[in-house]
Amino acid sequence: MTPLRLFALLNPAIGLVFALVFLVLWTNHRNQRHILLMAAAAGLYTVAVLAQMFLPLMPKYGVNTMVSAVLYMTCLALFIEALLMRVGVRGNVPWLALLAGGILCLIAFFFYVHEDLRIRIYVLNLGCGALLVFGALRLAPDPKPIDRVLFWTVLLVGLHFLPRTLLTLFADGPNGTASIENYRASLFFSLLNFALIILALLLCLTFLLAIALDIIEELRTERNRDALVPLLNRRGFEEQASAYLVRALPERACLVFCDIDHFKAINDSYGHATGDAVIRAFGRWIGEAVRRDDVAGRIGGEEFAILLPGAAVSDAARFCERLRLRVQEGEEGIIPAPWRVTSSFGIAERRPGDTLAELMARADQRLYAAKRNGRNRVEG
């Protein structure tokens, strides 16, 4: 085997390594189907390169030409679907099938009907570029840094196929014709293969980095989520609320402390299972009441904290009153009649230079004032 052929084997080797890496990742995160799709894409890339290298050149039947083209198109379609599935963009399969099918039809036409190697090379290159640009445009730049990196990486790799196609014009020979044997033996073909190695590495490494960051974010989210209610735990609340207070320094905000009235009596009278059911319901009602940018968490026992960015005391008071009435209205089956669950609220408005600890201390004081003044009330 020639050194050139050995060098060319780097391409499928890279694909195989990434296929195994993504497959191992998927076995530990089976809910993330895009990782499995990426493993399949990398595996098909390996098979496509090997097919192009080793399938016999049979001009009459086009085994090498058509099989490698089908594998490349399927590999790219799987990659783009994995890319878009990761960020929740759906409805791509019909468009990918249409694009890939059209490209394959053109390649078949310029093999079986009007045989022309040059045009097949142009169609394959421009087709790969079109698929990648489609994926990038569907992805669009996301606020997350890694998604912006993915967008630009996929877009630029896709756009590079245009100059790649134009450069192929210079590899056709003096009469404007080329044979597949001469084309494969050319230095230009070797350079294209080297570029393909770099681009395949770039796409796979960028996607792998995105998956790694997703896993880290998922672990951080699980660590910061409360085990009983669909809200943050104390650590998660303090991290997010502190980050907001630092980030939005001049903006006003209010912090609400609230808890369930006579919760110890509920536990003593009906048991801890009922107490947990009341906490779950209270947490759910808070989750339904907060806005997207609000930060809400269970900070201990039956106590909850809610940071309301951009809210004045009057806004926070209206929010608390709506929530208080919802709690008082209750829900059938949570606690036996005639007991009615009620709640108390304390509101602290942010002052210039406040730390989260100072804001929490004032909100806690307001909450205890609400309890001293009869419970089932809002104190601001």
Side-chain angles (χ1 to χ4, degrees), residues 134-157:
F134 167 81
L137 294 178
R138 291 278 285 171
L139 179 66
D142 191 272
K144 288 184 179 179
I146 186 58
D147 289 325
R148 289 200 295 272
V149 171
L150 265 175
F151 166 77
W152 286 109
T153 301
V154 175
L155 181 63
L156 292 175
V157 170

Side-chain angles (χ1 to χ4, degrees), residues 36-236:
L36 181 60
L37 284 183
M38 191 60 192
L44 270 181
Y45 176 78
T46 301
V47 177
V49 176
L50 290 174
Q52 193 175 34
M53 290 173 63
F54 294 111
L55 277 180
L57 300 176
M58 300 173 65
K60 184 178 177 181
Y61 301 106
V63 173
N64 185 290
T65 298
M66 293 311 301
V67 169
S68 58
V70 168
L71 290 171
Y72 276 124
M73 289 300 104
T74 308
C75 156
L76 269 179
L78 285 174
F79 168 72
I80 293 162
E81 178 61 14
L83 184 80
L84 297 174
M85 182 184 288
R86 176 185 158 269
V87 294
V89 178
R90 308 297 181 191
N92 313 295
V93 174
W95 292 105
L96 290 171
L98 186 65
L99 277 170
I103 294 161
L104 290 172
C105 286
L106 284 173
I107 291 173
F109 176 83
F110 287 106
F111 186 88
Y112 295 108
V113 180
H114 180 73
E115 206 285 328
D116 193 315
L117 172 62
R118 289 178 305 155
I119 297 180
R120 288 204 308 273
I121 293 169
Y122 306 155
V123 168
L124 185 60
N125 276 283
L126 290 174
C128 291
L131 281 167
L132 287 167
V133 170
F134 167 81
L137 294 178
R138 291 278 285 171
L139 179 66
D142 191 272
K144 288 184 179 179
I146 186 58
D147 289 325
R148 289 200 295 272
V149 171
L150 265 175
F151 166 77
W152 286 109
T153 301
V154 175
L155 181 63
L156 292 175
V157 170
L159 290 175
H160 112 281
F161 279 96
L162 179 59
R164 181 188 179 103
T165 304
L166 295 174
L167 286 171
T168 307
L169 290 168
F170 298 103
D172 287 342
N175 300 318
T177 60
S179 70
I180 193 165
E181 293 87 354
N182 291 337
Y183 180 69
R184 282 182 160 191
S186 69
L187 177 62
F188 182 75
F189 181 74
S190 300
L191 291 174
L192 289 185
N193 270 339
F194 178 72
L196 200 58
I197 292 171
I198 300 302
L199 295 174
L201 267 173
L202 183 62
L203 289 173
C204 287
L205 284 172
T206 308
F207 199 87
L208 184 61
L209 177 61
I211 290 172
L213 292 175
D214 289 344
I215 292 170
I216 291 169
E217 182 63 28
E218 185 181 324
L219 292 172
R220 184 184 293 116
T221 299
E222 288 178 4
R223 181 199 69 180
N224 289 341
R225 284 284 165 187
D226 189 82
L228 198 58
V229 299
L231 301 174
L232 298 167
N233 57 26
R234 186 181 188 107
R235 175 168 55 188

Side-chain angles (χ1 to χ4, degrees), residues 193-322:
N193 270 339
F194 178 72
L196 200 58
I197 292 171
I198 300 302
L199 295 174
L201 267 173
L202 183 62
L203 289 173
C204 287
L205 284 172
T206 308
F207 199 87
L208 184 61
L209 177 61
I211 290 172
L213 292 175
D214 289 344
I215 292 170
I216 291 169
E217 182 63 28
E218 185 181 324
L219 292 172
R220 184 184 293 116
T221 299
E222 288 178 4
R223 181 199 69 180
N224 289 341
R225 284 284 165 187
D226 189 82
L228 198 58
V229 299
L231 301 174
L232 298 167
N233 57 26
R234 186 181 188 107
R235 175 168 55 188
F237 174 81
E238 289 182 351
E239 281 184 7
Q240 289 198 21
S242 295
Y244 169 79
L245 292 176
V246 170
R247 185 174 65 250
L249 198 58
E251 188 176 334
R252 66 184 181 184
C254 283
L255 180 66
V256 174
F257 264 29
C258 53
D259 74 2
I260 301 163
D261 295 331
H262 303 296
F263 184 73
K264 185 176 184 304
I266 294 173
N267 269 338
D268 291 344
S269 301
Y270 301 107
H272 288 282
T274 299
D276 286 348
V278 171
I279 289 175
R280 278 194 294 270
F282 192 60
R284 188 176 72 250
W285 294 329
I286 291 174
E288 293 167 353
V290 294
R291 305 163 301 178
R292 180 178 178 179
D293 293 333
D294 297 337
V295 183
R298 179 180 173 219
I299 57 173
E302 74 279 16
E303 297 178 347
F304 295 79
I306 308 161
L307 181 68
L308 302 171
V313 172
S314 57
D315 302 318
R318 285 191 293 271
F319 168 86
C320 293
E321 185 61 20
R322 287 195 301 272

